[in-house]
Structures are given as structure tokens and as C-alpha cells.
Amino acid sequence: MDLKGLVVSQADSKDTSAYTHRVTNLAEGLVKRSIACDFLYMKDTFTLRKQTTASFFMPLRIRTLRKYDFIYTGCEGAGQAMFFCRPFVKAPIIYDVHGDSVAQSALQRQMASSGRVTSASLRVRIVSRMAMACADYVVTVSEPHTKALI
């Protein structure tokens, strides 16, 4: 049986960021190992462009999502978009965590408020929890990060 995966990217297909480079390299590595990969670029799809509403529109793609043996989400936005699909998709969802957006949000808010606000924004915390909740597997960049998520 040949495996086929879907790489869900929060960026658009013309993006040249380090994020896109990372997920493209991952897909190329899988293809070299005879695992076919398709891409779903969220920013190229009108209903998936906005991170705050993508999870409501992603279930419209259930029929397409069911064609894959696994679904890889390379960031929180892509992981969060899969949240309402989880009950209807048999393929495992792999969420690749790079960085700590909750801590980053808290630090940004602390700096912007001259130290008065020290917590992450509610939106960032919700997106992070939704991405984690729908994932069957979580990939992290370091052992300390793994321990912090557990």
C-alpha cells in the first residue's frame, strides 16, 4: 500500500519564508522515501485565508481530507484549522510545533504595556489549544519544549 499525505500550510504557494522552506523540505524528504504528498495552501483558498475563521470552513473539505493516510500541519494556524475536522477524518493529524507562540504573545504584550500585562492574548491561547487538541502526534524541536507541552 502506497502512503499519501497532505501538508497543510498556513502560507500561500508563493511564500518564500523559512516556514514554507521547512514544510517543503519535509514533503520532498517524504517523496524521496516513496510517500506522496500534496499541499493545501490556506492563503490560496478564500475561505481559509483568515486564521480566526479557517477552522469553521475546513470541514467543507472533509471529502478531500479523507483521501489521505496522514495530515501534516506545520504550524498552529494550520493545526487549528483541522480542529472541527478531527471527528470526521481517520487519518492521523501530525502537528509540528516550532517555537512557543503563547510565550511569545505574552512577551509581546508585556513589552507593549510596559510590564502591566504579562499573559498571552486569548486568541493565541485558543489557537494553540485547538491545534494541540486535534493532533494525534506532536513534533517538537527540543526536549525542553516537549516537556513544557506535556
Side-chain angles (χ1 to χ4, degrees):
M1 181 179 132
D2 294 329
L3 288 176
K4 187 169 186 178
L6 177 66
V7 176
V8 180
S9 171
Q10 189 176 357
D12 65 54
S13 56
K14 294 177 179 75
D15 184 62
T16 59
S17 69
Y19 163 71
T20 298
H21 180 74
R22 177 173 52 86
V23 296
T24 301
N25 280 347
L26 174 112
E28 288 171 358
L30 291 170
V31 168
K32 286 179 183 175
R33 288 163 180 79
S34 301
I35 300 172
C37 286
D38 291 335
F39 277 87
L40 171 58
Y41 293 100
M42 291 172 57
K43 297 272 176 153
D44 288 350
T45 307
F46 179 75
T47 56
L48 303 178
R49 291 180 79 91
K50 291 205 176 278
Q51 182 179 351
T52 53
T53 58
S55 59
F56 297 115
F57 291 106
M58 187 64 90
L60 298 175
R61 300 180 169 277
I62 291 292
R63 182 179 264 152
T64 300
L65 297 173
R66 287 182 174 159
K67 296 178 183 176
Y68 295 96
D69 298 303
F70 66 91
I71 300 168
Y72 170 86
T73 61
C75 70
E76 285 180 336
Q80 171 253 335
M82 296 299 300
F83 183 76
F84 293 116
C85 298
R86 177 69 264 158
F88 308 106
V89 176
K90 291 181 183 176
I93 297 173
I94 304 163
Y95 169 41
D96 192 350
V97 180
H98 274 258
D100 187 346
S101 63
V102 174
Q104 206 171 12
S105 172
L107 181 60
Q108 286 172 340
R109 288 174 46 123
Q110 185 176 16
M111 290 172 57
S113 69
S114 300
R116 291 187 309 276
V117 178
T118 59
S119 62
S121 76
L122 179 61
R123 184 191 63 77
V124 169
R125 289 183 292 179
I126 290 171
V127 167
S128 178
R129 287 199 178 124
M130 287 173 75
M132 288 292 292
C134 72
D136 295 294
Y137 300 98
V138 178
V139 178
T140 61
V141 294
S142 67
E143 186 67 28
H145 197 186
T146 302
K147 289 180 181 177
L149 292 173
I150 295 176

